[in-house]
Amino acid sequence: MLAPVKVGLVIFHADPSRGGAERYTIDLARSLSHRGHNVTLLASSYKDTPWEVKQIKCDAHGLSPAWRYRSFLSHLDTNLQSHSFDVLHAMLPVHRCDLYHPHAGLAAENLAMGHLKYRGKVAQSVARLSNLANGRRRLFAAVERKMMSASLPPMVLCLSEYVRRTVRSRYPLKEDHLPILFNGVDLRTFDPKRNPEAGAGVRTQLGIAHDAVLAVIIAQDFHRKGLDTAIAAVARVPDGRLKLIVVGRDYATPYEKLASRLGAEKRVFFVGAAADPYAYYRAADVFVLPTRHDPCSLVVLEALAMGVPAITSAANGAGEIITHGLDGMIVSDPNDVPRLTEALKAMLDERRRGNMSQAALMLRPRLSYDAHVNQLLTLYQKAMERKRRPGV
């Protein structure tokens, strides 16, 4: 077991309601602290963070996202001159760190290939120009490239084999510097037996009948996560029992209009961001995430741990744990509305849902957050050895 270490966790916003990376960072800070490690969060803002975890404010001022990121990096560097850590674990590109954990994928890959997440050549061309004109994304990629070309580059924590293939294609790093660290789930928090009535409360609050078949999507970037595909597929399912709850922080108006245009406005419910998604998992009969790009979606793993069958795309590293047709379904093309429609239709069968739910629960030991943290601590030890002996 690793002796207590001083860990710095770097995230732009330490706010679990902002997305999976932010929630992961807060949960990790809490877990490491409970194991006796000295943990400090280095972020520009804080919300709902563990009281026992130290905080260092790295101000992010500026009129544009790029300038705010520059400001953040400058203040981070200044703080690192007066605060030392055994391990510096960064969730975004920074000037130096020991472990780089790109939850949304490599910045270089997102800059070069992000436009392919859009449908059609015209949309892709517009997205490509917009992407290249995005100062913050260009800066992210530039900082990442410099960080990766350092004499002692960070160990890159790959959330899946899907991510590791991407890293290999972009940077000439040694294989032992590219460990796969699959996302983990807190099985105590995400235990369907912990609060069985939570789901009924969601249905009551939204006026959804108890016999409705409820699909749930949790996302902060509605386009990238394929919300348009999910809404279109729900609208094509003729059985009105199928409903969709959309949980997440993003601009919902275009998607509300899409649901209305497709005649599904009474079947799609937008509830906004949720710091604690437990009740929505408990209410769900199926989790759906036809994402166009996801290194390893934590929400899919949480849904499976709650016994909720998950439908996702082949562009999601989390799909590597799903056995198609047993505990979930994989749609090869995230834009394939007919294929997603058929998958949702299949989930209308109560017996099939029950069998798939039981199969999903069997995955819980593989999804254990404790096992995830144990593996991470082993990687911390390796990172510290690399600093002491750079050739390791």
Side-chain angles (χ1 to χ4, degrees), residues 62-77:
L63 296 178
S64 71
W67 279 107
R68 289 192 286 274
Y69 175 49
R70 287 182 189 274
S71 173
F72 172 80
L73 291 176
S74 176
H75 284 96
L76 174 64
D77 290 343

Side-chain angles (χ1 to χ4, degrees), residues 119 226 228-230 232-233 236 290-292 311 313 330-344:
R119 294 184 185 181
D228 53 341
T229 306
R236 284 193 177 202
T291 179
R292 296 181 168 97
I311 302 173
S313 72
I330 304 296
V331 178
S332 57
D333 181 353
N335 298 314
D336 192 339
V337 174
R339 190 66 59 88
L340 181 58
T341 301
E342 291 306 310
L344 288 170

Side-chain angles (χ1 to χ4, degrees), residues 62-129:
L63 296 178
S64 71
W67 279 107
R68 289 192 286 274
Y69 175 49
R70 287 182 189 274
S71 173
F72 172 80
L73 291 176
S74 176
H75 284 96
L76 174 64
D77 290 343
T78 298
N79 281 307
L80 290 177
Q81 290 176 5
S82 55
H83 297 83
S84 62
F85 299 95
D86 298 319
V87 175
L88 190 63
H89 180 169
M91 312 300 165
L92 73 167
V94 294
H95 290 143
R96 66 177 180 88
C97 62
D98 301 307
L99 297 103
Y100 175 44
H101 205 164
H103 290 261
L106 289 180
E109 180 76 4
N110 290 335
L111 181 66
M113 309 298 289
H115 62 286
L116 297 179
K117 302 166 193 172
Y118 292 81
R119 294 184 185 181
K121 292 184 178 180
V122 174
Q124 288 181 0
S125 296
V126 171
R128 184 174 184 275
L129 291 174

Side-chain angles (χ1 to χ4, degrees), residues 22-37:
E22 291 80 4
R23 185 148 55 92
Y24 170 86
T25 306
I26 301 304
D27 289 343
L28 178 60
R30 181 182 295 108
S31 177
L32 291 173
S33 180
H34 288 176
R35 289 183 179 221
H37 300 286

Side-chain angles (χ1 to χ4, degrees), residues 7 11 33 61 65 74 86 98 104 107 113-115 174 180 195 202 249 254 277 280 298 301 322 332 359 370 386:
V7 181
I11 186 81
S33 180
H61 301 307
S74 176
D86 298 319
D98 301 307
M113 309 298 289
H115 62 286
K174 297 178 180 178
I180 291 181
N195 185 2
V202 168
R249 182 206 305 271
Y280 295 104
L298 182 59
L301 305 183
I322 291 174
S332 57
D370 286 339
R386 285 181 69 209

Side-chain angles (χ1 to χ4, degrees), residues 262-289:
L262 296 176
E265 67 272 15
K266 294 183 179 180
R267 298 173 63 184
V268 181
F269 301 80
F270 294 83
V271 299
D276 181 3
Y278 179 90
Y280 295 104
Y281 291 129
R282 197 67 187 85
D285 294 297
V286 58
F287 190 82
V288 58
L289 194 77

Side-chain angles (χ1 to χ4, degrees), residues 125-305:
S125 296
V126 171
R128 184 174 184 275
L129 291 174
S130 176
N131 209 18
L132 293 174
N134 188 309
R136 185 171 183 265
R137 289 183 182 175
R138 292 203 314 273
L139 187 56
F140 257 58
V143 172
E144 181 186 82
R145 282 194 296 270
K146 188 173 182 179
M147 177 179 68
M148 296 295 213
S149 61
S151 58
L152 185 63
M155 186 179 294
V156 182
L157 303 183
C158 303
L159 277 68
S160 60
E161 180 59 39
Y162 173 70
V163 174
R164 186 154 66 176
R165 288 195 299 269
T166 301
V167 180
R168 285 195 196 106
S169 72
R170 294 284 169 184
Y171 300 110
L173 300 177
K174 297 178 180 178
E175 283 299 298
D176 60 353
H177 292 177
L178 302 176
I180 291 181
L181 182 69
F182 215 68
N183 275 329
V185 177
D186 184 338
L187 300 183
R188 292 174 292 274
T189 298
F190 294 98
D191 181 352
K193 297 178 182 178
R194 180 168 66 85
N195 185 2
E197 301 305 317
V202 168
R203 290 176 182 246
T204 299
Q205 182 181 358
L206 296 176
I208 298 174
H210 73 278
D211 63 342
V213 178
L214 189 54
V216 170
I217 182 171
I218 299 177
Q220 306 303 329
D221 180 344
F222 288 167
H223 175 77
R224 181 166 66 89
K225 302 292 185 171
L227 177 56
D228 53 341
T229 306
I231 291 173
V234 168
R236 284 193 177 202
V237 175
D239 192 329
R241 290 180 303 149
L242 181 65
K243 315 290 184 185
L244 175 67
I245 291 182
V246 181
V247 183
R249 182 206 305 271
D250 201 351
Y251 184 52
T253 299
Y255 300 93
E256 292 171 335
K257 290 181 178 179
L258 174 63
S260 179
R261 188 165 66 249
L262 296 176
E265 67 272 15
K266 294 183 179 180
R267 298 173 63 184
V268 181
F269 301 80
F270 294 83
V271 299
D276 181 3
Y278 179 90
Y280 295 104
Y281 291 129
R282 197 67 187 85
D285 294 297
V286 58
F287 190 82
V288 58
L289 194 77
T291 179
R292 296 181 168 97
H293 168 69
D294 225 314
C296 182
S297 173
L298 182 59
V299 291
V300 165
L301 305 183
E302 289 172 348
L304 292 169

